[in-house]
Every structure is written in C-alpha cells, then in structure tokens.
Amino acid sequence: MSCDDDSLSDYQCLVRKQIELFEAAPADVASNAQGRNKPIVLGQVGIRCRHCSKIPPRHRTRGAVYYPSKALGLYQAAQNMASAHLCSHCQLIPDSLRQELVVLRDRKSSAGGGKQYWADAVRALGVIEEDNVLHFEKRKEDGEEGPQGTEPVEEKSSGGSGAVSGI
C-alpha cells in the first residue's frame, strides 16, 4: 500500500514485499499445511512467501504459508513467516535480501503499524472474513466495482491460484 512507508518500519515494509495473498487451489487443499486443526478450504485466502510460490506446496519449507482465520491474525502470521521462514529457512530468497531482513529486524524500530493496520490493509484489497475463514470478496464481472465500493483486486496467476504480491 502507498501509505506503508509512513506507517510501517523499514523491516515491516520489506517483509510485506516478500509475501503475497493468495487463494488456496486444489493442490494447497490437498497438502493441508502442517499443524492445522481445521482443513484448508478451496478459495481460502492465505499468505505465502513470494519466493516459494512457484514450487509445489509439498516441496516448500516450513513456514512458507499461513492461513490466518481472521484479518487481525495476518500481522502475527506475517511476523512468524518473516522471522522463521524468510530470515532462516527459505532456500529461494536471495542471500542479500535475507541479510537485509535480519539487519532490519535486529535494529528494533519502534515504528510500525500493528494488527489493526495490517487487517485494514488486507480488507482494502477485498478480503473478508466468513465463518473463521478469509476469502476474497465476490466481485461483479467485467471489472465493475464490487460490493461496498471495492475495486477489483489486481491478481496474477501463480500455481493456479490468484495472488496479490506485496500486501
């Protein structure tokens, strides 16, 4: 989002550029992420490492994907992904980028939007909560505005599911 630089620390801005929102495809549903109590639902919105997005779910390292049940859970999921996956386990992130993340993480900036900022940002992208599952809001055809004045989300194809980079 354009207001990130004013509202987030340099670390959080860089983290947001390394993750993307996506809708669970059949391969994601079949993989059923480690440590989940509830099964993943087709079309469920999650976050994933943009560097690992091109490889099949079963080949991704731990922490490359999270499915928060609420928009307010997105912030913590992203922080978990950043500290464990991006800074340690991701085999596809360039070393220079990993080092920059580690340096910024260790700098301990007091700036940074918290849970509410991240939740508001994901809602602005058209994500809604339904029965403890995040989904993209249904949009009208032909690029018309959807309910509540939301504009269509710019999506890119990645592994068969829509994705929004740099949440």
Side-chain angles (χ1 to χ4, degrees):
M1 294 184 65
S2 60
C3 54
D4 282 358
D5 290 339
D6 298 331
S7 303
L8 299 178
S9 67
D10 291 343
Y11 173 68
Q12 285 187 10
C13 286
L14 189 56
V15 166
R16 283 169 70 104
K17 292 175 184 171
Q18 308 316 307
I19 60 180
E20 60 186 19
L21 288 174
F22 74 103
E23 293 178 299
D28 299 304
V29 172
S31 73
N32 201 16
Q34 297 174 347
R36 288 195 53 85
N37 307 7
K38 289 176 55 179
I40 298 163
V41 180
L42 189 65
Q44 182 172 350
V45 170
I47 61 170
R48 67 183 170 201
C49 169
R50 72 176 182 89
H51 306 282
C52 296
S53 65
K54 303 282 189 273
I55 59 177
R58 68 183 181 281
H59 295 300
R60 295 178 187 152
T61 59
R62 186 175 179 92
V65 175
Y66 283 88
Y67 293 94
S69 60
K70 298 198 175 290
L72 284 171
L74 180 68
Y75 170 82
Q76 190 58 54
Q79 300 315 303
N80 292 348
M81 180 182 291
S83 65
H85 179 74
L86 294 170
C87 290
S88 299
H89 302 301
C90 182
Q91 298 171 352
L92 299 175
I93 190 171
D95 287 337
S96 60
L97 193 50
R98 182 191 320 274
Q99 289 305 321
E100 186 177 359
L101 279 166
V102 170
V103 167
L104 290 173
R105 178 192 65 192
D106 294 346
R107 193 178 288 167
K108 303 288 186 213
S109 170
S110 61
K115 290 181 184 182
Q116 192 62 55
Y117 181 88
W118 284 62
D120 290 345
V122 78
R123 287 185 189 112
L125 292 172
V127 174
I128 59 170
E129 298 172 17
E130 236 174 32
D131 300 323
N132 288 321
V133 175
L134 297 178
H135 291 281
F136 280 113
E137 187 172 34
K138 301 289 185 253
R139 296 179 302 271
K140 294 181 182 180
E141 296 297 319
D142 300 323
E144 294 178 31
E145 287 194 25
Q148 301 173 344
T150 58
E151 294 181 17
V153 176
E154 182 181 326
E155 295 181 358
K156 70 175 187 178
S157 179
S158 176
S161 62
V164 179
S165 291
I167 65 166

